[in-house]
Amino acid sequence: MKARAFALFETAIGSMAIAWGSRGVVAVRLPEADAMALRARMVRRFPDAREELAPPGVDLAVRDMTRLIAGERVDLCRIAIDMADVPEFNARVYAAARAIPPGETRTYGEVAEAIGDRTAARAVGAALGANPFPVIVPCHRVLAANGRSGGFSARGGVATKMRLLAIEQARIGSSPTLFDEFGGLPLAVGS
């Protein structure tokens, strides 16, 4: 995928990056060790792109992702993503993952069933592992069978996945979340 430009932006989980081209967002990167490492990764991945301020449509995507990661219920389906270079199978998986609302999860098997091939759970996992649009395509909302976390390819691995799910107050399996226990409000430290 070709990116015309990229920008870094701050979120509740650290600096993230977004790259875009003429047809929409071509990549999102979750936090690296620091902003310099993130910038270096973007330059390696998109050597012809320049760092600049996000234009209005991309700026809206940045604001929506920032709000979602801050705990607001935000639907990111309106964000245009450029899947021209994404394999057709992966595009179907990404469309199914985008349909999972914040705070909800599905299993790899359920996503496979949603795209019409209930035997493709492992292939779904591989497609999500190659997801160039994390958060916009919420691969963190897809879990292994029986509520197990499954993998996560971003820095921090499964801990990052679980942090994103906790921010969204997602229920994993049938057990209540901390937020359910206390009327939907997180406890303040020292309470």
Side-chain angles (χ1 to χ4, degrees):
M1 288 185 256
K2 291 201 177 220
R4 186 185 84 223
F6 71 91
L8 273 56
F9 61 99
E10 291 303 315
T11 73
I13 63 170
S15 295
M16 290 179 53
I18 187 168
W20 63 91
S22 60
R23 295 200 251 173
V25 173
V26 297
V28 172
R29 290 295 308 171
L30 291 168
E32 294 286 333
D34 56 38
M36 284 179 37
L38 181 60
R39 183 173 286 109
R41 180 179 282 275
M42 295 303 285
V43 169
R44 279 191 312 274
R45 174 67 177 94
F46 302 107
D48 297 330
R50 62 190 176 282
E51 186 173 0
E52 62 181 48
L53 293 175
V58 176
D59 186 53
L60 180 61
V62 166
R63 282 192 308 239
D64 283 352
M65 283 189 288
T66 302
R67 289 176 46 220
L68 179 81
I69 293 170
E72 293 182 42
R73 298 276 177 173
V74 180
D75 181 0
L76 302 179
C77 287
R78 68 181 176 180
I79 298 172
I81 56 177
D82 180 356
M83 291 202 288
D85 294 334
V86 171
E88 188 271 334
F89 178 83
N90 292 22
R92 289 181 19 232
V93 170
Y94 301 161
R98 285 187 94 181
I100 304 168
E104 293 186 23
T105 61
R106 303 288 183 275
T107 65
Y108 296 110
E110 289 171 328
V111 172
E113 193 168 332
I115 64 168
D117 185 354
R118 64 175 59 182
T119 66
R122 285 182 189 258
V124 165
L128 292 173
N131 175 15
F133 316 102
V135 180
I136 296 173
V137 172
C139 51
H140 62 279
R141 295 181 191 150
V142 184
L143 305 171
N146 300 317
R148 293 186 325 254
S149 63
F152 199 62
S153 59
R155 184 174 189 276
V158 172
T160 299
K161 180 177 193 168
M162 300 311 285
R163 184 170 182 200
L164 289 168
L165 289 171
I167 288 168
E168 292 183 4
Q169 299 180 29
R171 176 170 283 146
I172 299 171
S174 60
S175 36
T177 68
L178 172 67
F179 300 99
D180 292 329
E181 295 281 327
F182 298 100
L185 300 173
L187 291 176
V189 176
S191 293

